[in-house]
Amino acid sequence: MSKITGVFPSLPVATTEQSLVSHAGLNVVTSFVDALGFRDLCEDRLGQFVPSGAWHRPGTILGSLAVMLAGGGEHVSDLDILRTGAGVFGKVASNATISRFFERTVTNPDLFSYGFATLTRELRSRAWEAAGDRNPALKATALDPLIIDLDATLVTSHSDKEQAVGTYKGGFGFAPFVASVDYGTGNGTGEALAALLRPGNSGANSAEDHIKVFTQAIAQLPDAFYDQDGKLIGEKVLVRTDSAGASRKFLHYLASLGVQFSVSYPVPVMKARMVAWINDKQYWQPALDQDGNERTDAWVVNATDVLGLSDYPPGTNLYLRAEPLHPGAQPTLLDTDGHRVTAFLTNSPCWHGPALDARHRARGRCENRIKTLKTTGLGKLPFFDFHANQAWANIAVLAMNLVSWLQLAALPTGHKARGWDMKRWRYRLFATAGKLITRARRTRLLIPDKAPETETITTLLAAITELKNSLRQQDRLLA
C-alpha cells in the first residue's frame, strides 16, 4: 500500500487568542508616519473636517488609509487587516466613520485640497531634509535640475461614477494627469507630486491641463526652490513630457517661469534633400546609455538650424535621434537607412546632445511610478462623487510617497531596498508576521529573526528613531 505524499506539509489548523499580527512589517511605515509629526499636521490643516468631539481625528483616518494602501489594500473594507492588529496599528475608524469623513470633504473640496496640499508639502520638506546629502532640493542646480515628469494615464471604472465617460481606447472611466519626481538612477524609485483627476475623454495634449498639474506640482516643492520673495527658481526645475506637452502655449508658460523643459516632438516630414544629410553620420554624435557608455549604431544631432523652429521660446533646440528599429517595429516613410528617427525639444543650458538625449529617454521611468500609483489606490476609485475620488487619489499619492520617502531618508546609500518597487516591499517586508508580547509592563513586537528582511526592518526602525528625535529637538528649539 503506497503512502500518498503531498507537495506541501498537511498540518491541522486551530485558532488562537495570541496577539499575532499578519502585516507586522508595516510597523516601519507607521513609525515613519509618527516620526514626521503626521497627527499634529493633520489636525492643523484638516481638523475642520472632523467634529470637535470626535474620537477619530484626521490623522488617524488619513494615516490608516495611507498605510493600508501602501500595504496592498484596495478598498476601505481592507482596513480590517489593520483592525486585527490594534496593538500595532491602533484603533482604526469604522467604515461608516470614514464614509462620513469623505462626505465632509465633498462639501468643500477646494478647502480640503488646499489643506491636504499644504500637509503633504510639509511632510515632503521634513522627509527630504532628513535625507541629508541625498536631499533632492540640495542637489538641484541649473546643470542638474530636479526632473518633474508629466504624463496622463487611464483608470477604468466598472460602475457609473460622476464624470466617468468613454476613453479614446474604447474603455470607460477617468484620465488622471500625474506629475512625479525622478530621483535619477540609483537614487530610489522617485515620488508623485500631484494626481489631477479628469474625465475619461480629456485630451492628453491639453495645454491648460499641463499648466494646471504643473502648478500643483511646483506648489509641493520645499522652500529651497523659491527665493526670498516666494518666486520659483525655475532653473532648478526641468519638466519632461512626451509629445503631448510640446504645445507652444505650455512651453512659453514654462519659459516665462525660467523652467527648463525636455519634451518629445513629432518628427516633421523629412524633405527629400534632408535624407542624404541624415544618412551621413559625420554630422552626428554617438548616443549614450544611462550609464554614460556609447550605444551601438545610435546617433544624436542638433538639427535646430537645419529643420528650423518657429514661435517657440528663445533658446529652444531641436535634437534628432537615429537608432535601429526595435524588433517587431513596423517601418514608416520617415525611417531612413534602417533607422527610426525621433526628436525632442529642450531649452537646457547644456549643449551636449548625447547627454540630453539620455536624460530625455529616461522619461520612461515615469511609467513605473504611474503603475505604482495605480497599485496604491489610484487604480480603483471607490466613490461615486468626483471630488471624493479626487480626495482618494490624493491619499493614494501619499501612500506611494511614504514608501519613497522611506527609501530616500531612512535607508543608507547603496542599500538594496532603495531600488525596490512597491510589490517587492509588500511581499518581502510588509508581509512579515509578528507577535505582541507584554513583559515588565511593556508591550513589544516580535518578528522572526530568520525573516528575509529582518535586518532591513531593524535598519529602518533605527533610522526612523533618529529622525523622530531630530525633529523633536528642532520643535523644542523653535518653541
Side-chain angles (χ1 to χ4, degrees), residues 117 121 124 145-152 176-181 192-198 204 206-221 225-226 231-241 245 247 249-263 347:
R121 183 179 188 269
R124 177 173 289 101
L146 181 78
I147 298 177
I148 299 178
D149 287 311
L150 306 182
D151 203 1
F177 217 140
V178 178
S180 60
V181 171
L193 293 176
L196 176 65
L197 198 61
R198 306 182 303 163
S206 169
E208 289 76 12
D209 287 346
H210 276 81
I211 293 174
K212 186 174 182 180
V213 73
F214 172 73
T215 302
Q216 292 182 4
I218 60 175
Q220 288 291 307
L221 298 180
F225 288 92
Y226 294 86
K231 183 180 179 181
L232 178 71
I233 305 175
E235 65 179 10
K236 298 175 68 173
V237 176
L238 180 138
V239 173
R240 193 168 57 186
T241 76
S247 65
K249 181 178 180 180
F250 179 54
L251 297 185
H252 276 287
Y253 176 78
L254 294 178
S256 68
L257 298 177
V259 174
Q260 300 183 51
F261 57 79
S262 179
V263 300
N347 63 345

Side-chain angles (χ1 to χ4, degrees), residues 231-312:
K231 183 180 179 181
L232 178 71
I233 305 175
E235 65 179 10
K236 298 175 68 173
V237 176
L238 180 138
V239 173
R240 193 168 57 186
T241 76
D242 56 15
S243 58
S247 65
R248 291 174 175 83
K249 181 178 180 180
F250 179 54
L251 297 185
H252 276 287
Y253 176 78
L254 294 178
S256 68
L257 298 177
V259 174
Q260 300 183 51
F261 57 79
S262 179
V263 300
S264 297
Y265 182 69
V267 180
V269 177
M270 301 298 179
K271 299 179 181 179
R273 59 185 176 84
M274 297 296 304
V275 174
W277 175 79
I278 291 175
N279 290 339
D280 190 352
K281 296 300 188 297
Q282 67 171 317
Y283 301 105
W284 297 60
Q285 294 176 280
L288 303 177
D289 60 20
Q290 297 302 310
D291 296 323
N293 301 316
E294 291 187 3
R295 299 176 59 197
T296 302
D297 199 21
W299 311 84
V300 180
V301 68
N302 186 337
T304 309
D305 295 334
V306 179
L307 297 182
L309 292 173
S310 61
D311 300 328
Y312 281 95

Side-chain angles (χ1 to χ4, degrees), residues 369-384:
R369 291 189 289 275
I370 291 177
K371 180 184 69 174
T372 298
L373 187 55
K374 286 184 174 181
T375 63
T376 53
L378 185 64
K380 291 189 177 180
L381 302 172
F383 303 105
F384 172 80

Side-chain angles (χ1 to χ4, degrees), residues 50 92 152 154 167 188 197 223-224 256 361 384 440 442:
V50 174
V92 179
L154 296 177
T167 68
L197 198 61
D223 292 337
S256 68
R361 283 189 295 107
F384 172 80
R442 294 188 62 184

Side-chain angles (χ1 to χ4, degrees), residues 416 419-430 453:
K416 59 181 180 180
W420 285 0
D421 62 7
M422 186 66 77
K423 289 184 178 180
R424 193 167 180 82
W425 276 91
R426 289 169 177 168
Y427 188 76
R428 292 191 62 87
L429 195 145
F430 295 160
E453 300 304 332

